[in-house]
Amino acid sequence: MKDRIIIFDTTLRDGEQSPGASLTTREKLRIAHQLVKLGVDIIEAGFPIASEGDFEAVSKISRVIKGAVVAGLARCLQKDIETAFRALEKAEDPCIHIFLATSRIHREFKLKKAKEEIIRQAVKSVKLARKYVDRVEFSPEDAARTELPFLTEVVEAVIEAGATTVNIPDTVGYSTPEEFGEIIRCLKREVSNIDRAIISVHCHNDLGLAVANSLSAIKNGARQVECCINGLGERAGNASLEEVVMALKVRKDFWGVTTGINTRQIYKTSRLVSHLTGIPVQRNKAIVGENAFAHEAGIHQDGILKERTTYEIMRPQDVGVPKSLLVLGKHSGRHAFNEKLKALGYRLSPEELDRSFVRFKTLADKKKHVFDDDIESLVDEQLDRPPAIFSLEYFNVTSGNRTVPTATVQLRKGDKVFQDASCGDGPVDAACRAVDRITGITGELLKYELRGVTGGKDALGEVVVQFRSGRRTVHGRASSTDIIEASVKAYLAAVNKIAARKDKPRKK
Ligand code: KIV
Ligand code: ZN
């Protein structure tokens, strides 16, 4: 097992710290299930003390996820560690991940603590966490900028106290591959009890070196990598899971290690995370970007046709990029639709299948060709949808270059239908204002993104909005061949999330 790299996915914790990404518990659960299918070893589900929402998500994930370790983050504080344990209590295989900064800058300016005090607090916390769980990971935050002799001392002390994994973070993405590799080499050489723990790494991408630094650490003895789907994470993100995994697979001859990842699930996971966080994948992103397998130049196309390996180092199907673009149309039946869903990796309940099929038929009536992307968008939107408090019955907008944009909207709540109208600075704005007047929920539209799901004039338009009401920020997503309809539905999906919280009976 020495040469098997442990993949620790932190999409739901560090990834959710990405500016603009926030996920509901329901969305986190969907991602967690997909991460299990992907074959990650550890899912860091959140930071339980950070908020009620994080606590709820970590406990739900702990209760339902089987086949992967579930980790929860905690500072080196008793209340954090105890809260993390309460959230992880029902997990099949729980891990408490505790961290404390060790670099001079953090010690002097943030913590105002001397080295001895840092070691004392780290050791005490690891011992406390070990009373609750068998797996305890310790991270000396900003390790890459910590003086090596002190880092060595900290690592040795926490292993002695019972840490089963020591994670070396490059918290601010400052290191370089040679330097970071040297840190790992030094720890292996200098820490007397290093063989009693797994060395992990956690690299941020501020200089675009997160993947390179992680790989260099592996070359030098690290056996766990912390990473995020699509390279999400605080600021410029963490090492991208798909890039690390595919580099190890494609260049196994060089790194000589394996992972337990089912690489055919990579594309689907990437799409799901992008849909749910509302953060699109950059077109030319390695492995999962739209252009990753597109050959444009004539010379390249000619080469590929003669021999694929002239310009292709991995096949699209290796990462699960669906082969066929063109799929179903309005004559396609339920069986063909279900087969297509299975090929795309969905397993729907009979009720979910019924609802998706109805939506597919409606779409196929409007659109000649229904592509894989259309189907994914349609199904994801439906699976993601919490029970709607308000649903759209009808809308009508008037817009033009010499008209004040106006919208009339009807929404259903239970068995009542409400109607209102508003003007705005565009048809979408007018319709959203009409929705606000009906629901009585006000807030700020932080982000509005519209993209064509596929090509062609009849393409589905997918809208993702980010909406803040009070202290809650939520996402809404919807697609339609009519972009105003997609916009109103996406806005309503976000508003419904706020309304659902308001309608929830309060705990006594
Ligand atoms: O970047 C970092 O240092 C972290 C730690 C909590 C591991 O995210
Ligand atoms: Zn981090």
Side-chain angles (χ1 to χ4, degrees), residues 244-437:
V244 170
V245 166
M246 288 313 288
L248 295 179
K249 184 175 163 112
V250 173
R251 294 304 312 276
K252 190 168 183 303
D253 61 314
F254 182 77
W255 275 289
V257 295
T258 57
T259 70
I261 296 294
N262 173 1
T263 62
R264 287 173 178 260
Q265 290 289 332
I266 284 180
Y267 183 74
K268 172 137 193 53
T269 315
S270 159
R271 296 296 293 256
L272 179 69
V273 169
S274 169
H275 274 172
L276 296 183
T277 56
I279 300 186
V281 173
Q282 162 195 340
R283 240 189 139 82
N284 61 332
K285 161 95 177 54
I287 318 293
V288 288
E290 234 172 279
N291 290 355
F293 295 96
H295 301 275
E296 179 73 24
I299 294 176
H300 289 207
Q301 288 177 350
D302 178 58
I304 287 276
L305 290 173
K306 288 179 176 144
E307 167 54 44
R308 185 188 62 79
T309 53
T310 49
Y311 288 102
E312 215 167 68
I313 58 168
M314 56 195 153
R315 296 170 311 161
Q317 41 298 21
D318 294 340
V319 297
V321 173
K323 239 192 294 168
S324 69
L325 280 176
L326 185 63
V327 275
L328 309 173
K330 68 175 176 184
H331 300 298
S332 309
R334 194 186 154 85
H335 185 191
F337 179 65
N338 195 22
E339 286 305 305
K340 187 72 209 169
L341 289 179
K342 284 190 200 155
L344 291 170
Y346 292 97
R347 296 285 178 275
L348 302 192
S349 68
E351 298 75 43
E352 286 168 342
L353 178 63
D354 284 346
R355 285 201 299 273
S356 300
F357 187 60
V358 171
R359 298 200 65 214
F360 159 71
K361 279 297 200 186
T362 312
L363 177 64
D365 271 342
K366 294 186 191 162
K367 198 171 185 292
K368 193 160 175 230
H369 301 309
V370 181
F371 295 88
D372 288 357
D373 279 10
D374 294 327
I375 293 179
E376 281 184 326
S377 176
L378 174 155
V379 178
D380 282 345
E381 184 192 325
Q382 188 210 282
L383 292 181
D384 181 26
R385 191 174 287 167
I389 302 222
F390 295 100
S391 57
L392 180 66
E393 280 281 309
Y394 162 92
F395 78 93
N396 179 50
V397 291
T398 328
S399 180
N401 64 343
R402 289 180 186 277
T403 318
V404 177
T406 319
T408 305
V409 174
Q410 281 183 354
L411 299 182
R412 174 177 292 280
K413 184 180 184 194
D415 51 13
K416 290 210 176 82
V417 173
F418 300 87
Q419 173 172 309
D420 215 320
S422 178
C423 36
D425 57 20
V428 172
D429 183 46
C432 293
R433 283 172 191 263
V435 168
D436 292 348
R437 290 169 67 104

Side-chain angles (χ1 to χ4, degrees), residues 23-292:
L23 296 161
T24 62
T25 297
R26 215 182 147 89
E27 291 167 337
K28 286 186 183 175
L29 260 174
R30 278 193 66 201
I31 294 177
H33 281 297
Q34 181 57 32
L35 290 172
V36 172
K37 279 195 200 157
L38 179 66
V40 308
D41 301 287
I42 303 174
I43 297 172
E44 186 163 49
F47 190 178
I49 195 118
S51 69
E52 249 184 66
D54 255 45
F55 184 90
E56 181 190 72
V58 178
S59 1
K60 280 237 166 92
I61 291 172
S62 298
R63 260 179 267 136
V64 302
I65 287 298
K66 306 282 172 241
V69 174
V70 180
L73 187 67
R75 290 166 298 181
C76 275
L77 298 174
Q78 185 173 347
K79 63 174 190 249
D80 279 40
I81 295 168
E82 287 170 356
T83 307
F85 175 64
R86 275 194 291 114
L88 292 165
E89 214 166 2
K90 295 279 181 321
E92 190 180 63
D93 198 348
C95 169
I96 299 182
H97 174 193
I98 50 185
F99 71 100
L100 182 62
T102 50
S103 66
R104 192 185 55 78
I105 303 177
H106 282 238
R107 284 191 321 260
E108 285 180 11
F109 297 103
K110 187 177 88 175
L111 302 173
K112 302 195 189 317
K113 284 193 169 138
K115 288 178 176 175
E116 301 68 39
E117 215 179 326
I118 301 273
I119 297 197
R120 225 177 302 124
Q121 195 178 346
V123 165
K124 192 171 156 205
S125 304
V126 169
K127 284 187 176 160
L128 175 64
R130 274 303 302 263
K131 285 196 181 143
Y132 293 118
V133 291
D134 291 336
R135 279 182 199 268
V136 172
E137 169 169 321
F138 179 81
S139 291
E141 191 191 4
D142 204 17
R145 291 192 300 172
T146 300
E147 308 91 313
L148 264 174
F150 182 53
L151 185 64
T152 307
E153 237 184 286
V154 173
V155 168
E156 192 158 297
V158 293
I159 295 176
E160 202 48 48
T164 46
T165 299
V166 277
N167 177 46
I168 307 301
D170 180 13
T171 303
V172 291
Y174 181 74
S175 205
T176 66
E178 287 74 15
E179 185 184 73
F180 201 60
E182 175 54 26
I183 294 175
I184 305 303
R185 211 167 31 244
C186 165
L187 292 176
K188 281 195 73 91
R189 193 178 57 231
E190 304 293 330
V191 176
S192 65
N193 51 7
I194 198 71
D195 290 339
R196 281 161 40 193
I198 292 159
I199 304 182
S200 167
V201 288
H202 174 112
C203 297
H204 278 271
N205 205 30
D206 300 65
L207 294 173
L209 293 171
V211 171
N213 288 343
S214 306
L215 293 171
S216 167
I218 289 174
K219 196 76 180 158
N220 286 284
R223 284 298 172 263
Q224 173 174 301
V225 178
E226 302 200 352
C227 40
C228 289
I229 303 295
N230 299 337
L232 292 183
E234 183 81 36
R235 304 183 309 281
N238 287 74
S240 132
L241 180 147
E242 57 278 10
E243 292 177 26
V244 170
V245 166
M246 288 313 288
L248 295 179
K249 184 175 163 112
V250 173
R251 294 304 312 276
K252 190 168 183 303
D253 61 314
F254 182 77
W255 275 289
V257 295
T258 57
T259 70
I261 296 294
N262 173 1
T263 62
R264 287 173 178 260
Q265 290 289 332
I266 284 180
Y267 183 74
K268 172 137 193 53
T269 315
S270 159
R271 296 296 293 256
L272 179 69
V273 169
S274 169
H275 274 172
L276 296 183
T277 56
I279 300 186
V281 173
Q282 162 195 340
R283 240 189 139 82
N284 61 332
K285 161 95 177 54
I287 318 293
V288 288
E290 234 172 279
N291 290 355

